Structure formats: C-alpha cells, structure tokens
Amino acid sequence: MKITTVIARFLLGFIFLTFGLNGFLHFIPASPPSGTAGQFVGALFVSHYLVPIFLLQIISAVLLLVNRYVPLALTLLAPIIVNILLIHILMLPSGLPLALIVTVLWSVVFLSVRSAFAGLWQQRVPPQGLRQQSHGVVFRNHQGGTYA
C-alpha cells in the first residue's frame, strides 16, 4: 500500500503541476470548449479568477512532490477537484475520465494521511477556556487588591 500511495502522490502532484503551469505558460494546445462550458470557462478566464486557482494547483503539486505538508496540499486541492468534477459532470463530459482519475488519486493519498484530519470528524469539541499566564506581572484593581 505504501508504494501505491507514493505513486498516487507523485501522479497527483505531476498532474496538478502540469495543468497549473499550463494555466500560465499555455504549452498544451487546446481549443476552448463550446456551449455553456465555453461561456463558463471564458468568464473565469476574463475575470482572472483562474490565476489563484492555478497558483494553488502549483503550490499543492510542489508540496505533494516534495512530500511536505501533504494534508495541507490535499486540503487546498479538494475544492478544486470538486469543481473540476462538477464542470465535467454538468457541462463537459469529455473530460470526466481524467477528473475521475484525479479523484481516485486524491482519495488514495487522503487515506494514507487521514489521521491528520481526525479532528474534523469530532461531533462535539469541549470548550477550552482562556488560559491566563502571569509572566510575573502584578496588577492592582480599583479596590486595592492585587492579581497576577
């Protein structure tokens, strides 16, 4: 399973590094999609909405490739992958196979680091009070009493 996880992490990182860099360098020739998908992607492109998305893809991909902060990388990629899936399910089904492959790769890597997300699955978290630290400073209140 460890080898599978490493391969999945590298493939996921490579895919997002490639497509993230392509967003800036345009080295993969592609014609714009037609119909609703074309209008949607066109609006994202013209509004520069895709610039931070491509940056997040590149940052996450580098984190995955160097095996540092993998849970953070997965957290940053999760909403991007959901949007990729929704675009391909609802508007552009031709790209759905790659979107599903990316989802499976993300899931494999997620399962390998799921313990990092354990806190998210707590139904209730006990409240924690503010801790007071004195640091050796003594204060006087208006009634003449002291407290640290």
Side-chain angles (χ1 to χ4, degrees):
M1 184 67 172
K2 185 169 176 138
I3 293 173
T4 305
T5 302
V6 171
I7 292 171
R9 185 173 46 80
F10 272 109
L11 285 174
L12 191 63
F14 179 74
I15 289 169
F16 276 104
L17 183 63
T18 302
F19 284 100
L21 288 174
N22 185 59
F24 294 110
L25 304 176
H26 309 291
F27 52 84
I28 300 174
S31 59
S34 60
T36 307
Q39 293 172 352
F40 181 72
V41 172
L44 292 176
F45 184 77
V46 170
S47 67
H48 303 287
Y49 183 86
L50 292 175
V51 171
I53 302 302
F54 292 138
L55 283 173
L56 287 171
Q57 287 180 6
I58 292 169
I59 291 167
S60 299
V62 170
L63 292 174
L64 288 171
L65 291 172
V66 299
N67 198 23
R68 296 288 183 254
Y69 301 104
V70 172
L72 174 62
L74 293 175
T75 302
L76 294 173
L77 287 177
I80 295 171
I81 293 172
V82 168
N83 279 294
I84 290 170
L85 277 171
L86 289 173
I87 287 170
H88 289 297
I89 289 170
L90 300 174
M91 293 183 268
L92 199 59
S94 62
L96 190 56
L98 182 58
L100 291 173
I101 289 170
V102 165
T103 303
V104 168
L105 292 172
W106 184 93
S107 299
V108 168
V109 178
F110 172 81
L111 289 173
S112 73
V113 295
R114 67 183 173 270
S115 63
F117 296 93
L120 294 176
W121 302 109
Q122 293 181 0
Q123 185 176 15
R124 294 179 190 254
V125 178
Q128 296 178 352
L130 297 174
R131 291 186 292 159
Q132 295 180 350
Q133 298 176 351
S134 66
H135 300 290
V137 179
V138 176
F139 299 96
R140 298 197 184 280
N141 62 21
H142 68 280
Q143 296 173 346
T146 60
Y147 59 95

